Amino acid sequence: MRCGLLWLIGVLWMTLSSGVKTQNVKVLREIEVFPGETIHLRCQFVKSGSIKLTQVSWIYESPDGVRGNIAVFHPTYRESFPESAVKGRVRFVLASLETPSIEIDNAQKTDEGKYTCEYATYPSGQEVGTTTLTVLSKSNNSASPVTVRAGSSAVVVARCEAAQGKPAATITWVSSANGNYNSTSKEEPDGTVTVKSEYRLVPTPADNGREISCEVTQRTQDSFHPQSFPVKLTVEYPPSVKIEGYDENWYMGRADVALTCQADANPVPAMLSWTVASGSVPSTVQVYGNKLHVKKVDESVNTTFVCEVKNRLGSGKNQLTVKVFVRDAGGPGPATSYLLHFFTGVFFVLACYL
Ligand SMILES: *[C@@H]1O[C@H](CO)[C@@H](O)[C@H](O)[C@H]1NC(C)=O
Ligand SMILES: *[C@@H]1O[C@H](CO)[C@@H](O)[C@H](O)[C@H]1NC(C)=O
Ligand SMILES: *[C@@H]1O[C@H](CO)[C@@H](O)[C@H](O)[C@H]1NC(C)=O
């Protein structure tokens, strides 16, 4: 579609030009390739009247104006490829004077410039058509997270870059987070463009480990090639602490009960300590890391336990008040009354069925 349009523009442009005759030589006005691709330089002579074609040559002109012959076709002497930077990579598609299109393999940055399809004709003399070749550049894409602290204002949490693209790439972000982004582009001395984008967010502990994705799109000759770069966010926050394992059924003499101190923090906590409100941890209690183990419940654990956790960003603590009670010799304690309720329930369910 696009090539067709360029062909038309080329033809129109050639027809309107004056000077050296061009109306019979059809070429594309402009083409673009990426390094490594094959360059297709089309040329066709549309015969009119009794013009005789003697020979056709392709002339390359570098951006700084140096011209050289890269391919020649003569009906008798056939193909010839003079010494040039493209020698060995260039060939005629058909050995034909009317359609002397050529292909150049493995496009290089240095192949950029003008390619003229030049006919020697009789009796009108020289007739030419010129194609301008632009060698594009795939951008070098990368994305990375920025480690931040949880806070209440928006900060940059990830960056993405599409370096030295031609044409310039565009960057967007795909995310379930409620952030926003901006991009800037900068022209490089070699004619390429570097695009940078920053993703901003009010970082919360819940955003730690969240995956967002940078999408880089660069237009190529005939399609779009979006590329996705996932980024895992890193949000640091001080510990938040909770104490688990208390079932409200700590009666005098009960064996083997335990409390566990759970901390959520990034980075992982460097220190954890258990204390009791009434002084130091009773001797009936054993502490193993985040676990506090009571071999046998007595009055000494009828107190408030405090767990404090620290990481680089600060500390967090939580407390739990244990209520030790004495089980009546006859009457059921809370545990037995649970069981009693359970069995009463089962009994009623069974009674309904029967
Ligand atoms: C792309 O960028 C990375 C890091 O920014 C760099 O290490 C690498 O050499 C670059 N690659 C090219 C082909 O420029
Ligand atoms: C985004 O906008 C901020 C403030 O307007 C600016 O400081 C920053 O450089 C911009 N970042 C990019 C990558 O465009
Ligand atoms: C535990 O302490 C409470 C008051 O905080 C007290 O009422 C209760 O009798 C105590 N229990 C035991 C077994 O000492």
Side-chain angles (χ1 to χ4, degrees):
M1 179 67 195
R2 199 160 159 264
C3 283
L5 191 64
L6 284 177
W7 179 275
L8 189 67
I9 293 168
V11 171
L12 283 176
W13 180 71
M14 289 304 166
T15 315
L16 293 172
S17 308
S18 52
V20 186
K21 284 199 160 184
T22 59
Q23 64 268 44
N24 297 318
V25 183
K26 287 213 293 183
V27 295
L28 291 174
R29 187 180 174 184
E30 280 174 12
I31 57 174
E32 294 173 338
V33 294
F34 278 102
E37 290 180 344
T38 298
I39 306 165
H40 300 276
L41 288 160
R42 294 206 256 160
C43 183
Q44 191 182 9
F45 195 95
V46 182
K47 263 199 171 159
S48 61
S50 57
I51 295 178
K52 274 186 78 75
L53 308 176
T54 5
Q55 174 177 298
V56 64
S57 309
W58 279 95
I59 316 290
Y60 167 68
E61 182 180 336
S62 69
D64 50 10
V66 180
R67 286 168 61 93
N69 207 329
I70 58 167
V72 184
F73 184 79
H74 186 280
T76 311
Y77 306 117
R78 313 301 292 173
E79 308 168 0
S80 160
F81 303 99
E83 275 313 316
S84 79
V86 297
K87 184 160 179 165
R89 293 190 285 135
V90 60
R91 64 178 172 273
F92 282 99
V93 179
L94 297 170
S96 149
L97 207 48
E98 282 77 26
T99 324
S101 299
I102 55 170
E103 287 179 348
I104 302 172
D105 285 330
N106 191 18
Q108 314 282 303
K109 182 81 193 135
T110 47
D111 293 338
E112 200 160 86
K114 292 191 171 115
Y115 290 82
T116 300
C117 180
E118 184 182 288
Y119 276 94
T121 70
Y122 183 84
S124 44
Q126 231 179 42
E127 296 213 25
V128 302
T130 298
T131 300
T132 300
L133 172 72
T134 304
V135 179
L136 303 176
S137 179
K138 285 204 168 76
S139 58
N140 185 5
N141 306 330
S142 58
S144 57
V146 178
T147 300
V148 295
R149 290 185 179 195
S152 55
S153 54
V155 291
V156 175
V157 294
R159 292 201 168 92
C160 189
E161 182 178 287
Q164 297 186 296
K166 183 177 172 178
T170 54
I171 296 178
T172 57
W173 294 84
V174 174
S175 163
S176 56
N178 195 21
N180 56 54
Y181 58 90
N182 60 344
S183 305
T184 49
S185 39
K186 181 173 146 265
E187 190 117 4
E188 303 287 353
D190 66 357
T192 61
V193 178
T194 294
V195 181
K196 291 183 183 186
S197 183
E198 292 177 333
Y199 191 86
R200 278 187 171 70
L201 185 69
V202 178
T204 66
D207 294 314
N208 184 46
R210 186 196 286 278
E211 269 204 2
I212 65 173
S213 169
C214 168
E215 307 279 318
V216 180
T217 308
Q218 192 178 19
R219 181 182 61 76
T220 65
Q221 238 170 316
D222 45 25
S223 64
F224 284 87
H225 287 282
Q227 240 190 315
S228 193
F229 297 87
V231 177
K232 208 171 210 172
L233 301 185
T234 308
V235 179
E236 294 186 333
Y237 50 94
S240 77
V241 178
K242 58 183 187 212
I243 298 172
E244 291 170 347
Y246 182 54
D247 60 1
E248 301 190 11
N249 188 27
W250 287 27
Y251 51 84
M252 290 288 283
R254 184 177 173 188
D256 293 321
V257 288
L259 299 178
T260 307
C261 179
Q262 299 287 8
D264 175 31
N266 186 35
V268 287
M271 195 222 79
L272 182 150
S273 70
W274 283 103
T275 50
V276 285
S278 57
S280 58
V281 178
S283 57
T284 46
V285 157
Q286 285 150 326
V287 172
Y288 306 105
N290 68 335
K291 272 206 157 52
L292 185 143
H293 184 237
V294 181
K295 262 192 123 73
K296 197 167 185 198
V297 172
D298 63 11
E299 300 91 339
S300 68
V301 295
N302 191 32
T303 182
T304 298
F305 290 94
V306 180
C307 177
E308 184 172 13
V309 179
K310 286 185 181 154
N311 72 359
R312 189 149 44 72
L313 270 71
S315 71
K317 63 171 143 185
N318 210 332
Q319 63 183 49
L320 180 111
T321 301
V322 169
K323 290 204 177 74
V324 174
F325 58 91
V326 182
R327 279 210 290 185
D328 299 344
T336 15
S337 76
Y338 267 132
L339 282 179
L340 197 63
H341 282 124
F342 176 71
F343 283 120
T344 318
V346 169
F347 174 76
F348 277 114
V349 170
L350 284 174
C352 293
Y353 267 101
L354 295 172

